[in-house]
């Protein structure tokens, strides 16, 4: 019986790369060397300041894609860490370092599981590819989105995709994300007319106008949820009035909104809702909207059931299908193929002393090998 591949050395090598977005520091070179040893053809794709990697083995269908990122968030003050955040310290069976669970450990586990799968199934169906970006924790402009455009143009459209974000909550594999809410931000500035607060009839108070706008937007919930999603939310995340005097009506007032919306909405309709409230109460205004992504859903079907079956058989738990949390690069992939997120426990992601138990890395490797078996077994 062939000895299972060990994800630990690769995880340590990746953590030792100081790849804080958009820096790479050799992280993608490390991944590329590991994949080339497994027979993958690798293509480096650089867009602006961001390095990305696409690797594929085979050309047949079905085409299974694994998506991940080697960039990490800044570690903050290193003195708050027990060890150097980029030293990949191993202590008492636990691997410490920035990216250990989000998601350099996950990439290492997938490649180890991939190695085991290929050894056990040299004649498997279809083909396998990996999209590894250096721009997931940042603006996500020159990473996965741009690589997918290149893949479309060059005949690499996948049939299914697993994004290796740490989705598990209490036990490995207990949660599979099959969708995400959309996310958008709005910046509103309402103009008025400055004046003395004792003579409001000679002024036009933009604060009063803005509060009426916000009352319209927040007095009723956007919805009560849908079959697979929790209710949408609109949150006022900031208010600003540049006025230090208590007896002066200000000239303008501003606010910031964040909306997380389910599959009952689209960003265009939500933007129209904001514009409608402004037209009623504050005709003189500036509005800027940025959309991080629309909501998406991979409806339960053969692909999702294959993932649940893999979790059941390898981890012994019944995976819950979930759409909560923020956004991920899965939002870009959803327009091309069914996509789901499945990974380890994100108990310390983005935290000081981020870590992952070594046994979890091994268990995740075995789970990913099972996922490949279920998706490419015919």
């Amino acid at each position: 019986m062939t000895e299972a591949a060990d994800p630990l050395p690769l995880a340590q090598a990746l953590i030792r790369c100081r790849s804080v977005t958009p820096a790479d520091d050799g992280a993608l070179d490390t991944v590329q060397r590991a994949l080339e040893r497994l027979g993958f053809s690798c293509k480096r794709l650089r867009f602006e300041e961001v390095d990305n990697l696409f690797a594929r083995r085979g050309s047949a269908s079905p085409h299974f894609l694994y998506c991940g990122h080697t960039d990490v968030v800044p570690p903050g003050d290193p003195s708050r860490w027990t060890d150097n955040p980029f030293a990949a310290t191993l202590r008492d069976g636990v691997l410490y370092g920035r990216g250990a669970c989000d998601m350099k450990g996950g990439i290492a586990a997938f490649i180890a599981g991939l190695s085991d799968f290929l050894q056990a199934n040299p004649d498997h169906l279809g083909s396998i590819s990996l999209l590894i970006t250096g721009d997931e924790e940042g603006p996500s402009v020159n990473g996965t989105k741009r690589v997918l455009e290149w893949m479309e143009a060059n005949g690499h459209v996948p049939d299914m995709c697993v994004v290796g974000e740490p989705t598990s909550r209490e036990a490995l594999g207990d949660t599979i994300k099959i969708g995400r809410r959309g996310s958008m931000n709005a910046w509103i500035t309402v103009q008025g007319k400055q004046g003395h607060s004792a003579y409001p009839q000679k002024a036009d108070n933009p604060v009063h106008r803005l509060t009426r706008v916000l009352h319209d937007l927040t007095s009723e919930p956007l919805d009560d949820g849908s079959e697979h999603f929790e209710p949408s939310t609109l949150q006022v995340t900031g208010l600003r009035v540049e006025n230090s005097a208590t007896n002066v009506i200000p000239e303008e007032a501003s606010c910031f909104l964040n909306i997380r919306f389910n599959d009952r909405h689209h960003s265009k309709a939500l933007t129209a809702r904001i514009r409608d409230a402004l037209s009623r109460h504050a005709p003189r205004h500036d509005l800027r909207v940025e959309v991080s992504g629309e909501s998406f859903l991979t409806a339960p079907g053969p692909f999702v059931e294959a993932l649940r079956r893999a979790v059941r058989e390898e981890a012994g738990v019944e995976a819950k299908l979930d759409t909560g949390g923020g956004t991920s690069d899965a939002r870009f992939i959803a327009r091309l193929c069914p996509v789901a997120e499945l990974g380890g426990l994100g108990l310390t992601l983005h935290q000081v002393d981020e870590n992952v138990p070594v046994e979890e890395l091994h268990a995740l490797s075995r789970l990913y090998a099972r996922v490949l078996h279920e998706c490419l077994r015919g």
Side-chain angles (χ1 to χ4, degrees):
M1 182 176 181
T2 305
E3 185 177 354
D6 186 358
L8 178 60
L10 180 55
Q12 288 181 298
L14 289 172
I15 290 170
R16 288 170 183 148
C17 299
R18 297 174 178 265
S19 53
V20 177
T21 317
D24 175 65
D25 196 36
L28 290 178
D29 287 341
T30 302
V31 174
Q32 182 171 340
R33 286 192 295 269
L35 292 175
E36 286 177 341
R37 286 194 291 268
L38 296 176
F40 280 77
S41 296
C42 296
K43 176 73 172 179
R44 296 293 284 273
L45 299 163
R46 184 176 177 87
F47 302 109
E48 302 297 334
E49 77 282 15
V50 176
D51 287 310
N52 304 279
L53 170 67
F54 176 75
R56 186 168 181 178
R57 188 178 191 272
S59 59
S61 295
H63 174 190
F64 179 100
L65 172 67
Y66 174 85
C67 184
H69 63 90
T70 50
D71 63 316
V72 297
V73 296
D77 183 359
S79 67
R80 296 183 58 213
W81 287 67
T82 304
D83 305 286
N84 183 327
F86 298 104
T89 302
L90 186 62
R91 186 171 61 253
D92 298 326
V94 178
L95 175 62
Y96 291 85
R98 177 56 86 222
C101 68
D102 185 22
M103 60 173 293
K104 292 179 174 181
I107 292 173
F110 182 80
I111 293 176
L114 172 62
S115 176
D116 292 342
F117 171 77
L118 292 175
Q119 285 196 16
N121 302 274
D123 300 318
H124 66 83
L125 292 179
S127 57
I128 302 169
S129 66
L130 293 90
L131 189 172
I132 309 297
T133 182
D135 184 34
E136 197 274 347
E137 299 289 7
S140 299
V141 171
N142 293 306
T144 298
K145 185 177 181 180
R146 295 286 299 273
V147 177
L148 289 169
E149 293 170 355
W150 178 89
M151 289 170 60
E152 281 188 277
N154 288 273
H156 296 292
V157 175
D159 296 298
M160 67 196 89
C161 177
V162 168
V163 178
E165 290 290 344
T167 60
S168 303
R169 295 180 176 177
E170 297 179 2
L172 182 64
D174 64 1
T175 304
I176 299 172
K177 288 191 179 294
I178 59 170
R180 293 271 191 163
R181 295 177 297 174
S183 177
M184 59 186 288
N185 296 301
W187 292 262
I188 298 172
T189 298
V190 172
Q191 288 88 30
K193 181 180 179 182
Q194 191 181 58
H196 197 296
S197 61
Y199 304 97
Q201 70 276 14
K202 298 181 178 182
D204 182 1
N205 196 324
V207 179
H208 294 183
R209 290 185 176 278
L210 181 58
T211 55
R212 288 194 287 270
V213 170
L214 295 179
H215 178 267
D216 275 13
L217 294 175
T218 62
S219 59
E220 297 291 337
L222 292 173
D223 57 64
D224 56 1
S226 63
E227 181 180 2
H228 295 287
F229 286 88
E230 60 191 49
S232 302
T233 62
L234 184 154
Q235 293 296 311
V236 180
T237 55
L239 290 167
R240 185 176 67 203
V241 179
E242 300 291 347
N243 183 17
S244 59
T246 59
N247 61 347
V248 175
I249 292 171
E251 190 170 23
E252 63 180 31
S254 302
C255 75
F256 324 113
L257 308 177
N258 178 256
I259 306 176
R260 302 295 173 124
F261 55 98
N262 60 35
D263 54 351
R264 295 178 62 179
H265 300 277
H266 189 278
S267 62
K268 290 182 179 179
L270 292 168
T271 300
R273 187 184 186 122
I274 297 171
R275 292 191 186 280
D276 183 56
L278 286 166
S279 67
R280 286 196 302 273
H281 303 296
R284 293 199 299 132
H285 66 266
D286 293 319
L287 170 65
R288 179 166 64 93
V289 173
E290 289 185 1
V291 180
S292 299
E294 302 292 340
S295 66
F296 70 90
L297 175 71
T298 296
F303 172 58
V304 173
E305 287 309 308
L307 299 183
R308 297 187 78 182
R309 190 165 57 245
V311 170
R312 188 183 308 118
E313 294 181 6
E314 186 58 51
V317 299
E318 195 66 37
K320 175 186 176 182
L321 303 181
D322 184 74
T323 59
T327 59
S328 77
D329 279 0
R331 69 189 187 274
F332 303 126
I333 303 165
R335 68 180 182 82
L336 293 183
C337 69
V339 57
E341 299 170 60
L342 174 61
L345 282 80
L347 301 179
T348 59
L349 74 165
H350 294 197
Q351 296 183 17
V352 169
D353 286 349
E354 180 180 349
N355 66 81
V356 60
V358 174
E359 177 47 41
E360 182 185 321
L361 286 179
H362 286 280
L364 183 56
S365 297
R366 295 190 295 269
L367 176 56
Y368 280 144
R370 177 65 67 171
V371 164
L372 290 167
H373 172 76
E374 294 296 334
C375 291
L376 300 178
R377 69 175 182 172

